[in-house]
Amino acid sequence: MKKATKKEILEIKEILISNYSDAVTELNYNNLYELLISVMLSAQCTDKRVNIITPKLFDKYPNVEKLSQANLDDVKELIKSCSFFNNKAVNLIKMATAVMENFEGEIPLDEKSLVTLAGVGQKTAHVVMIEYAGANLMAVDTHVFRVAHRLGISSAKTAILTEVELTKKFKTDLHILHQGMVLFGRYVCKAIKPECEEKCFLKEYCKSKGSFKVG
């Protein structure tokens, strides 16, 4: 597959920013606590499903302190329709406990601290910082991975390496580009039956030539 040229990457960047300058996550949240939990739950689960789950969870456990004292079986029951709910329930309580013990009950907003929390890897930390603080970071989920490869911006085999390439090539406005690529991949450049003719405003840059198996 061909690689995008520097000129094409700049043009793709400008087009994505123009189309998604006001884009935000589709996860429903009111504060940093709710955002972090929603992002943790969204791993290998749809935002739509997470938004169905979280109201009851937040109602019963409205803050870090309450969640740190939660009953594991109760949390499992509340999030049981989420993928990998057993592990996620354990991590949610461990995360809250660590925030209480190590950060005086305040969720940290820097990557080094966030990744020390159970269930919070680099991607989760970046998504939280992008959404909550507008951090100039890139996070690569399945949608971003797919879009980056179809447009020839990255040929990396992993999400982490794709993130490195995107960060190096785009440099600035990464928070907008991340969210833009997520939404573009979710609704236009879909894994199955991408809407190339109907909706795509980047088709002239596409390097996939009709083969949509990447991502």
Side-chain angles (χ1 to χ4, degrees):
M1 191 178 294
K2 287 184 178 181
K3 290 185 178 181
T5 65
K6 289 182 179 180
K7 180 176 181 290
E8 287 176 326
I9 291 170
L10 179 60
E11 291 171 353
I12 290 168
K13 177 180 179 179
E14 291 175 348
I15 293 169
L16 284 169
I17 290 173
S18 68
N19 279 273
Y20 297 105
S21 59
D22 298 322
V24 294
T25 182
E26 293 186 315
L27 293 168
N28 296 331
Y29 72 96
N30 294 302
N31 50 52
L32 181 56
Y33 165 74
E34 292 184 1
L35 174 62
L36 176 57
I37 289 175
S38 295
V39 176
M40 290 173 68
L41 290 175
S42 71
Q44 294 180 287
C45 185
T46 66
D47 288 2
K48 184 177 180 180
R49 170 56 52 187
V50 172
N51 289 336
I52 292 171
I53 293 168
T54 50
K56 288 184 179 179
L57 179 66
F58 295 153
D59 184 59
K60 188 156 189 179
Y61 302 107
N63 53 52
V64 171
E65 183 177 9
K66 294 289 186 183
L67 184 59
S68 70
Q69 300 165 355
N71 176 273
L72 177 59
D73 288 334
D74 186 46
V75 174
K76 286 181 180 180
E77 180 65 23
L78 287 167
I79 69 169
K80 65 182 181 181
S81 64
C82 187
S83 55
F84 305 102
F85 72 92
N86 285 309
N87 287 338
K88 288 179 179 179
V90 171
N91 284 333
L92 287 177
I93 295 174
K94 283 185 176 180
M95 176 276 291
T97 301
V99 170
M100 292 300 299
E101 293 178 350
N102 302 328
F103 299 101
E104 300 180 343
E106 296 291 328
I107 294 171
L109 203 53
D110 66 279
E111 182 177 348
K112 184 177 179 181
S113 298
L114 278 170
V115 297
T116 67
L117 304 175
V120 180
Q122 179 176 302
K123 188 185 83 170
T124 296
H126 281 197
V127 171
V128 169
M129 294 169 69
I130 288 166
E131 174 64 24
Y132 201 79
N136 188 49
L137 295 169
M138 178 58 67
V140 176
D141 66 0
T142 183
H143 302 299
V144 176
F145 186 89
R146 182 189 322 118
V147 170
H149 285 70
R150 286 180 177 174
L151 293 174
I153 303 171
S154 174
S155 58
K157 302 298 184 183
T158 67
I160 292 295
L161 291 176
T162 300
E163 178 195 306
V164 171
E165 280 198 294
L166 290 174
T167 301
K168 181 179 179 181
K169 291 177 180 178
F170 283 142
K171 296 183 176 64
T172 59
D173 297 306
L174 298 181
H175 62 301
I176 299 173
L177 293 162
H178 159 74
Q179 193 58 56
M181 292 176 79
V182 169
L183 295 176
F184 182 71
R186 183 175 292 164
Y187 296 112
V188 182
C189 193
K190 297 182 287 187
I192 300 173
K193 296 182 180 179
E195 302 195 28
C196 307
E197 298 303 322
E198 300 89 340
K199 295 182 180 180
C200 187
F201 46 79
L202 290 172
K203 57 186 175 184
E204 68 179 281
Y205 302 98
C206 185
K207 310 300 183 186
S208 65
K209 295 183 178 178
S211 176
F212 297 105
K213 297 180 181 179
V214 180

